[in-house]
Amino acid sequence: MASKAVEKRGRVGVDTVDPRDEPSAEWGWHGSFPKATRIAGWVCAIILLVMLYGNHHGWTENLWLIGLSLLMMFGLVLDMRKQRTAWRK
């Protein structure tokens, strides 16, 4: 006869977390906020571009703001592409 621990392990699917790896999975929700994370990323990239209108006079600050914003947008576009093609794998 199989013990209850073995039966419990047998029910673990692809989308669930093994409680031995993550003990908090037994007593609560264990996941992430993918949609909210993407929205926050776009908002932060836009805020970086809005910060161009400031009281600084040099171009060094502008280059950093533009570069970081473009880097964030590039990462978000890659994430959108990965999400769109995730069902193929």
Side-chain angles (χ1 to χ4, degrees):
M1 297 243 346
S3 67
K4 291 184 180 185
V6 173
E7 291 175 14
K8 186 176 181 182
R9 260 189 278 149
R11 290 185 285 161
V12 174
V14 176
D15 295 337
T16 60
V17 177
D18 190 4
R20 292 176 294 174
D21 297 331
E22 300 287 339
S24 63
E26 288 184 341
W27 52 265
W29 176 78
H30 193 81
S32 62
F33 299 101
K35 195 172 190 178
T37 305
R38 289 182 193 105
I39 291 171
W42 284 109
V43 168
C44 288
I46 291 169
I47 288 173
L48 284 173
L49 291 176
V50 170
M51 290 171 73
L52 289 172
Y53 299 106
N55 60 357
H56 53 273
H57 300 287
W59 271 93
T60 305
E61 296 91 353
N62 290 346
L63 292 176
W64 275 99
L65 290 170
I66 293 170
L68 289 174
S69 178
L70 289 175
L71 185 66
M72 287 181 86
M73 289 181 189
F74 180 72
L76 289 165
V77 168
L78 283 179
D79 184 55
M80 285 173 36
R81 184 174 179 206
K82 184 179 82 169
Q83 178 191 12
R84 189 181 73 205
T85 59
W87 62 273
R88 294 181 191 168
K89 295 178 182 178

